Amino acid sequence: MKYLCSYKSLTMILALCAWHSLWAQQPAAVDLPGLLHGALRYQICQYEGTALKAAQTFRQDRAQAAGGDWRLQVKTTALPDGATDVQATCRLEQGSAAQCALTVSLDFGRWSPQHYVLVPASVYNGNRYRSIGNGYNPDYPRDMYYNPKVPLTISNNPRLSIETGQPSTIDLQTGNAATPAICFFSPQEKKGFILLTTQQTPLGNSGLTITENAAKDSCSLSLSAPAVRRLAPGFGDFHLSGDRAPDWKAGDTVAIRFRMYVFDAENIPALLHRLMEVRKALSGPNAPRNILPMSKLLQCATDICRDNFIEVKTGAYYRPENNDDFQLGWVSGMINTYPMLALNDAKERQRVFSELDFVTAKLQGLSGYFYGGITADGKLRPEKMHPAFPELQAMVRKNGDVLFWLMKHLLLLKAQGYGRMIRPEWEQAAKRLATAFAATWEKHGEFGQFIAPGTGEIAVYNSTAGAIVPAGMIMASRYFHVTAWTTMAKDASAFYYHRDVEKQGLTGGDCGDISHDANSESAFGLLESLMAMYNHTGERRWLHMTETQAALCATWALSYDPVFPSGSAIAQLQCHMAGAVWASIQNKHAAPGICTSSGDALFKLFRATGNRLYADLLRDIQHAHAEAVNMPGHLTTHHLIGSSMERIQPSDAEGKESVGNFINTRNSWTETAGMLMALEIPGIYINTDKNEIYVFDHVVTEIIAKEKSSLVIAITNPTAYDATVSLLAENNRQAAVPLPYTAFVKWPHVSAAAGQTIKVRITSTGVTVIP
């Protein structure tokens, strides 16, 4: 069938009533005007194990395949937002058929390797990059060291080919994606395309497949019920999937539902914005549960951290993980000190001081950069080393964390009234580190991925490992009154945004156990920096960049509550896991929280724009975190009360038996992320001009009365724990003022016992509990 008309917007085409009749009459290989020169094809695929034996395309609504007579019914619905909803129902009318699956394919004939291809949390820019290794955290080859021209290099992940004349296939199942979707941006057509589907049919998780031909001028996007992959992607490798298509008997039926969007898109950010708007459109709103007040979480997690303070040969500090060695930044070291300092407890304050003394005395190199860790016996821990280059290296990400969090410690001490207790050595260490970053930027125009603290030289270039550095530099610039650092911070923020987000649609490489792989941590780190640029300058361009960055961050968070295997721990606890944050395209699992951040930049963005999508994303992240916390009657880690760990596993990357099961250990960074959320995110946010309330904590609110100069609300605590809830109430004028990092110090709190409802009056002067 030829194209019915020249290219038009999908909305206009859907207005053509003939479109529906076309689908109903001929669901086989149907050309879809408006779908970027694409065609829909429905097939019955028969397998032997995971090997495809035969594929029969439906003609009209019939197919003879695998010894049976098949019937296909396609229902399409044009939606007001320009999308098209499709439900394809396949039924075996007569006979029986072994190992068969229904596949729906969208075939695009005017394809290009310049298309940006996205599967949330799994594929960014087609993962079309150089690949190394065959397993977790592969060693870097020699040519990646001290090489300013090193290409972006990823682990052995599903990817489209970078080699000329090589076909390629990305074969996933819906459990591999934060949102079950395949998306692309066509720079030639200036169009975006989003294909949303559901996680499952009664046959199990569905398949998501991208197949590109050798000439790279055609591509098929396919959905299958169920997923039948030869290989399942692991942590930088592949293993036999163990998938199996079902056997069918007469009367058996399966339906695939999907939704398609085609829209004008000037660039990759336009695709990201649209995806954030619609990522829950097919699955519907998720249902976060109120089970653990943030105050109870904070109490339990700080109890754990308090008990982890040790004094060893090399110094005194809170143990970052489950041994006595110290790791700086990234996964808690000198980050978990921040909530302990916020407790405003004299004993913990002195312990925090001991750790700051230890870090600044033992870990800062001659260049001003810090080493990434040290053993309890005092031996520096190298990172990502190669035998040909003996100079000890450290993660740029960790150094960015040091600057950012050290500055926040100094600001918090001043906000608490303890500025006189700040030691000159801490300030000197922060200033030396900021000076080192400034020198690196001046010399190289980037921060690199790994640095040699002894010399200050970049050991491994590229990546977005320095994502959070600009936020730290802005704070240091204001604290030390060095205006040049503000200019550098703005230049660096713009550089990473334009090079990595705008042009590649990804950020990556700032984890210690991946290559340059796209990851969530760098996305949230750059969000922090871009928000800092807006708060500092007030310039709208930074706000636009921050919104795009938030949309990229959203691709890493589960947008729906997945169905887990019935016997799994998550299913038995009936956890609602929307908001769990995926780690990286190498580490194919989600986690409770952002590593390692409260995500308060999302709250600040919500204040600045009024867009509730940013608040929804943050609320989802906080509630998913609570679902993973080990509490009485809700055992996850089977470890300490209040502990949590980094695996929320919707995929079979670690084997089918791992899906939905926690690992019985703890990760300090997830506990730290929970403490930070409890501190830096208000439990209840109120805009008094708009009479609007947004609740992040695990309570329920209701407006009882709107008085002339006050607002009366009811707060109900439905959980099994007493709650102390922070409130931030402000008018439009106040909301326009940037929120300081230490704003939480002044937030009022109200208490509600388990099951209790209290009434609170909000005025311009404060919050009062009504007896």
Side-chain angles (χ1 to χ4, degrees):
M1 180 174 294
K2 302 296 183 183
Y3 289 104
L4 299 180
C5 60
S6 61
Y7 189 91
K8 297 180 180 179
S9 70
L10 183 61
T11 305
M12 294 174 60
I13 292 163
L14 290 178
L16 300 175
C17 60
W19 207 61
H20 180 277
S21 62
L22 173 67
W23 281 54
Q25 294 172 12
Q26 188 171 344
V30 177
D31 292 334
L32 294 179
L35 283 186
L36 293 168
H37 318 290
L40 261 175
R41 177 166 45 93
Y42 300 85
Q43 291 182 305
I44 290 295
C45 296
Q46 186 175 32
Y47 295 87
E48 186 172 317
T50 57
L52 180 64
K53 287 179 61 179
Q56 181 63 49
T57 300
F58 279 92
R59 301 297 175 189
Q60 301 291 338
D61 60 352
R62 302 281 181 172
Q64 298 287 324
D69 295 329
W70 303 80
R71 176 81 181 263
L72 181 69
Q73 182 179 16
V74 177
K75 179 183 178 181
T76 68
T77 305
L79 302 177
D81 63 354
T84 304
D85 233 1
V86 182
Q87 181 160 303
T89 303
C90 175
R91 174 184 172 91
L92 181 60
E93 295 285 301
Q94 296 180 2
S96 60
Q99 299 190 51
C100 288
L102 171 64
T103 297
V104 181
S105 297
L106 284 136
D107 302 324
F108 295 93
R110 297 188 187 179
W111 190 257
S112 164
Q114 277 69 54
H115 281 33
Y116 170 80
V117 180
L118 168 68
V119 177
S122 283
V123 178
Y124 291 82
N125 205 16
N127 291 352
R128 204 189 294 269
Y129 297 101
R130 176 194 186 191
S131 175
I132 58 171
N134 190 38
Y136 173 77
N137 191 19
D139 291 336
Y140 279 177
R142 179 171 181 159
D143 67 359
M144 288 186 67
Y145 290 87
Y146 297 95
N147 175 12
K149 296 182 179 181
V150 63
L152 194 148
T153 302
I154 65 173
S155 305
N156 186 17
N157 301 308
R159 59 194 182 275
L160 296 178
S161 173
I162 61 174
E163 290 85 10
T164 302
Q166 289 285 336
S168 50
T169 297
I170 293 174
D171 217 359
L172 308 169
Q173 51 119 324
T174 48
N176 291 117
T179 298
I182 305 175
C183 319
F184 68 81
F185 162 67
S186 169
Q188 295 86 1
E189 302 276 1
K190 295 295 182 183
K191 297 287 178 179
F193 176 79
I194 297 172
L195 174 66
L196 294 176
T197 190
T198 58
Q199 177 197 349
Q200 293 188 329
T201 69
L203 302 181
N205 282 4
S206 297
L208 303 172
T209 302
I210 306 168
T211 305
E212 187 180 72
N213 69 346
K216 306 186 193 306
D217 59 5
S218 68
C219 183
S220 294
L221 312 182
S222 301
L223 309 176
S224 64
V228 186
R229 305 154 299 162
R230 186 176 73 85
L231 297 175
F235 284 23
D237 58 8
F238 294 83
H239 56 269
L240 295 175
S241 71
D243 292 346
R244 190 183 189 279
D247 298 331
W248 295 62
K249 62 182 184 300
D252 286 346
T253 302
V254 70
I256 293 180
R257 186 182 176 200
F258 57 99
R259 183 172 294 179
M260 297 176 292
Y261 296 83
V262 177
F263 50 93
D264 294 335
E266 184 63 29
N267 50 24
I268 292 171
L271 175 68
L272 297 174
H273 280 281
R274 185 68 163 155
L275 179 59
M276 185 171 189
E277 292 170 357
V278 306
R279 67 192 187 104
K280 296 184 180 184
L282 196 59
S283 60
N286 52 289
R289 301 193 302 172
N290 293 322
I291 60 174
L292 182 61
M294 294 160 98
S295 58
K296 183 63 176 180
L297 170 66
L298 180 63
Q299 176 243 306
C300 291
T302 52
D303 283 349
I304 293 173
C305 194
R306 182 180 286 109
D307 290 341
N308 273 337
F309 190 81
I310 59 172
E311 295 183 19
V312 293
K313 178 181 177 181
T314 193
Y317 48 81
Y318 298 96
R319 293 195 309 164
E321 291 297 333
N322 294 314
N323 58 57
D324 290 347
D325 294 340
F326 184 81
Q327 182 163 203
L328 183 62
W330 183 32
V331 286
S332 295
M334 215 195 70
I335 303 176
N336 54 359
T337 47
Y338 190 75
M340 301 309 288
L341 184 62
L343 293 178
N344 207 5
D345 175 270
K347 182 178 180 179
E348 297 308 318
R349 187 181 306 113
Q350 289 304 317
R351 286 176 162 186
V352 171
F353 289 180
S354 295
E355 181 163 325
L356 294 181
D357 287 341
F358 152 70
V359 168
T360 54
K362 295 291 183 71
L363 288 172
Q364 192 163 30
L366 292 175
S367 68
Y369 285 112
F370 283 74
Y371 293 95
I374 192 169
T375 67
D377 291 333
K379 184 178 181 181
L380 291 172
R381 298 170 64 179
E383 295 176 315
K384 210 71 172 181
M385 297 297 294
H386 188 281
F389 307 99
E391 184 74 37
L392 291 187
Q393 297 169 196
M395 291 166 56
V396 168
R397 154 71 182 283
K398 287 186 176 183
N399 277 274
D401 284 343
V402 172
L403 182 61
F404 180 75
W405 288 101
L406 184 50
M407 294 309 307
K408 286 184 70 170
H409 280 73
L410 301 180
L411 295 176
L412 180 55
L413 283 167
K414 290 191 173 185
Q416 292 175 324
Y418 303 118
R420 68 190 183 280
M421 302 178 74
I422 294 173
R423 307 209 209 288
E425 293 84 0
W426 307 338
E427 293 179 323
Q428 182 183 20
K431 193 169 185 179
R432 286 184 62 207
L433 178 56
T435 301
F437 273 123
T440 298
W441 179 261
E442 181 68 23
K443 183 176 181 180
H444 300 288
E446 67 162 288
F447 299 122
Q449 186 188 24
F450 288 90
I451 206 86
T455 64
E457 289 300 312
I458 295 177
V460 179
Y461 289 77
N462 212 334
S463 88
T464 330
I468 205 170
V469 174
M473 291 298 291
I474 280 287
M475 280 190 283
S477 174
R478 299 178 72 173
Y479 191 95
F480 296 111
H481 308 291
V482 183
T483 56
W485 292 348
T486 295
T487 301
M488 190 218 82
K490 291 192 286 188
D491 290 346
S493 296
F495 167 77
Y496 283 116
Y497 176 82
H498 293 303
R499 187 195 69 174
D500 295 349
V501 179
E502 200 169 50
K503 294 183 179 179
Q504 298 187 100
L506 63 88
T507 60
D510 71 338
C511 297
D513 59 348
I514 63 174
S515 303
H516 290 154
D517 302 60
N519 76 327
S520 63
E521 299 172 32
S522 57
F524 281 99
L526 188 55
L527 178 74
E528 187 78 61
S529 287
L530 292 170
M531 195 68 223
M533 296 309 111
Y534 173 68
N535 282 342
H536 181 72
T537 66
E539 296 173 6
R540 303 294 294 182
R541 67 185 182 108
W542 294 113
L543 189 62
H544 297 324
M545 292 184 210
T546 308
E547 291 195 88
T548 297
Q549 192 62 30
L552 178 60
C553 290
T555 68
W556 290 102
L558 278 170
S559 59
Y560 69 106
D561 295 318
V563 176
F564 290 93
S566 58
S568 68
I570 293 179
Q572 290 179 341
L573 291 173
Q574 300 179 25
C575 298
H576 294 193
M577 286 305 189
V581 180
W582 288 74
S584 66
I585 60 171
Q586 175 196 271
N587 295 356
K588 299 171 180 66
H589 69 86
I594 303 161
C595 185
T596 304
S597 168
S598 67
D600 62 327
L602 286 171
F603 173 66
K604 294 173 182 176
L605 183 59
F606 166 55
R607 283 181 77 240
T609 62
N611 188 338
R612 293 174 71 93
L613 289 179
Y614 307 128
D616 291 346
L617 176 57
L618 183 56
R619 177 210 57 191
D620 285 353
I621 293 170
Q622 196 284 328
H623 279 68
H625 180 277
E627 294 278 8
V629 176
N630 194 66
M631 297 298 289
H634 187 86
L635 299 180
T636 58
T637 67
H638 293 268
H639 209 279
L640 302 170
I641 295 300
S643 63
S644 56
M645 59 81 55
E646 65 181 10
R647 288 289 199 283
I648 296 171
Q649 185 53 282
S651 86
D652 59 356
E654 300 168 278
K656 292 186 184 299
E657 69 283 352
S658 70
V659 180
N661 286 319
F662 298 105
I663 299 175
N664 296 333
T665 184
R666 57 173 289 271
N667 291 101
S668 175
W669 80 257
T670 61
E671 295 158 7
T672 300
M675 292 189 285
L676 293 172
M677 285 188 279
L679 284 171
E680 296 185 323
I681 302 168
I684 301 172
Y685 176 70
I686 305 157
N687 185 300
T688 55
D689 283 341
K690 299 177 181 178
N691 290 326
E692 290 182 354
I693 301 176
Y694 198 99
V695 181
F696 294 98
D697 209 335
H698 291 229
V699 295
V700 179
T701 63
E702 179 186 0
I703 297 177
I704 296 176
K706 300 176 183 178
E707 300 171 350
K708 183 177 180 180
S709 59
S710 67
L711 186 69
V712 179
I713 66 172
I715 302 173
T716 300
N717 174 11
T719 76
Y721 304 98
D722 295 345
T724 300
V725 184
S726 61
L727 293 92
L728 173 57
E730 58 184 4
N731 55 33
N732 288 336
R733 178 182 54 79
Q734 292 167 321
V737 177
L739 203 63
Y741 287 106
T742 58
F744 65 88
V745 172
K746 295 183 179 180
W747 291 342
H749 292 73
V750 296
S751 296
Q756 182 186 20
T757 297
I758 63 172
K759 294 180 181 178
V760 174
R761 175 171 282 108
I762 314 292
T763 68
S764 59
T765 58
V767 176
T768 306
V769 177
I770 302 173

